[in-house]
Amino acid sequence: DAKTTQPTSMDCAEGRAANLPCNHSTISGNEYVYWYRQIHSQGPQYIIHGLKNNETNEMASLIITEDRKSSTLILPHATLRDTAVYYCIVREETSGSRLTFGEGTQLTVNP
Amino acid sequence: DAGITQSPRHKVTETGTPVTLRCHQTENHRYMYWYRQDPGHGLRLIHYSYGVKDTDKGEVSDGYSVSRSKTEDFLLTLESATSSQTSVYFCAISVWTGPYEQYFGPGTRLTVT
């Protein structure tokens, strides 16, 4: 699986958009980009994934650059409950393939 | 929570004792995983299973064994617990949503004294 690089920490004001970057310059053509988050002491929670196109769901938007070497997770209106560690993971979509977690980005949403 | 439970949720044990953690799912998914997470770090894969009696090692499997005799249960055993195995253990399943997504259990906090 391709390695990812994320900032160690970020801050965001409540109600503003949180934009979390991820670099994955060695991503291959059949690897997806996944985002998970982990709120303190809880199990990681799936947020969103994408292959080439931008994606949006009820939680977030995922913007993938045209060359697929980087992506941005956008939380459009961050709340205090969005404070968590956010993990960007790239992997092939083989059957049941496991996730390789890096250190992630600690997002702190401030009142 | 995708119907995943873990037991026990907390356990304190002494060095050298065997410990078994249980992961139970209610939806008969094929793939199950055990991860450990140490303070300030991401999750690391211990073992995984792709079906009944079909298991394989992850990146940190030394000192751990697993068994899966039923689809719904995946057991993680520490044969002889050591202080370095003090950690939070998470179980996960893979669910096909085109492609696969992983869903995690609530975790088991294990302390080896």
Side-chain angles (χ1 to χ4, degrees):
Chain A
D1 294 341
K3 181 177 173 59
T4 62
T5 304
Q6 299 177 251
T8 302
S9 63
M10 295 183 65
D11 286 278
C12 176
E14 188 176 20
R16 305 295 296 270
N19 298 286
L20 290 89
C22 179
N23 287 319
H24 32 79
S25 59
T26 61
I27 193 170
S28 61
N30 59 347
E31 287 184 313
Y32 287 76
V33 179
Y34 285 79
W35 283 84
Y36 283 75
R37 73 180 182 183
Q38 187 175 25
I39 297 170
H40 181 63
S41 298
Q42 299 180 18
Q45 175 190 24
Y46 165 81
I47 302 173
I48 199 168
H49 71 269
L51 183 62
K52 295 180 182 179
N53 300 320
N54 298 336
E55 303 288 344
T56 295
N57 62 20
E58 65 278 4
M59 289 182 67
S61 295
L62 174 60
I63 308 299
I64 303 174
T65 58
E66 190 169 347
D67 62 8
R68 302 207 326 121
K69 293 182 184 294
S70 66
S71 60
T72 300
L73 178 75
I74 300 172
L75 308 178
H77 304 287
T79 71
L80 299 179
R81 290 178 295 178
D82 292 321
T83 293
V85 177
Y86 288 77
Y87 296 99
C88 169
I89 299 168
V90 295
R91 67 167 187 177
E92 292 184 10
E93 203 30 81
T94 55
S95 297
S97 58
R98 65 218 198 170
L99 298 173
T100 300
F101 287 82
E103 301 301 317
T105 296
Q106 171 66 58
L107 174 69
T108 302
V109 180
N110 300 305
Chain B
D1 62 1
I4 306 170
T5 57
Q6 293 185 230
S7 59
R9 295 292 313 280
H10 301 272
K11 185 171 182 65
V12 179
T13 191
E14 294 183 349
T15 299
T17 59
V19 176
T20 296
L21 309 183
R22 179 181 183 238
C23 177
H24 178 78
Q25 58 149 325
T26 60
E27 300 179 3
N28 293 319
H29 294 291
R30 179 181 176 189
Y31 298 97
M32 299 184 75
Y33 311 80
W34 277 107
Y35 293 85
R36 62 176 287 175
Q37 185 173 34
D38 300 308
H41 295 281
L43 282 72
R44 292 182 292 169
L45 182 68
I46 305 171
H47 281 281
Y48 62 102
S49 170
Y50 41 97
V52 173
K53 300 191 188 307
D54 289 325
T55 64
D56 207 345
K57 296 179 179 180
E59 60 181 308
V60 290
S61 60
D62 287 349
Y64 302 94
S65 63
V66 290
S67 66
R68 193 165 177 204
S69 58
K70 300 185 290 184
T71 301
E72 59 265 36
D73 289 324
F74 192 31
L75 304 181
L76 177 70
T77 298
L78 290 65
E79 304 288 350
S80 177
T82 68
S83 59
S84 64
Q85 294 176 310
T86 292
S87 190
V88 180
Y89 292 85
F90 290 101
C91 174
I93 62 173
S94 275
V95 178
W96 176 256
T97 59
Y100 278 96
E101 297 171 15
Q102 281 198 15
Y103 292 90
F104 289 80
T108 294
R109 184 173 297 276
L110 176 68
T111 302
V112 183
T113 61

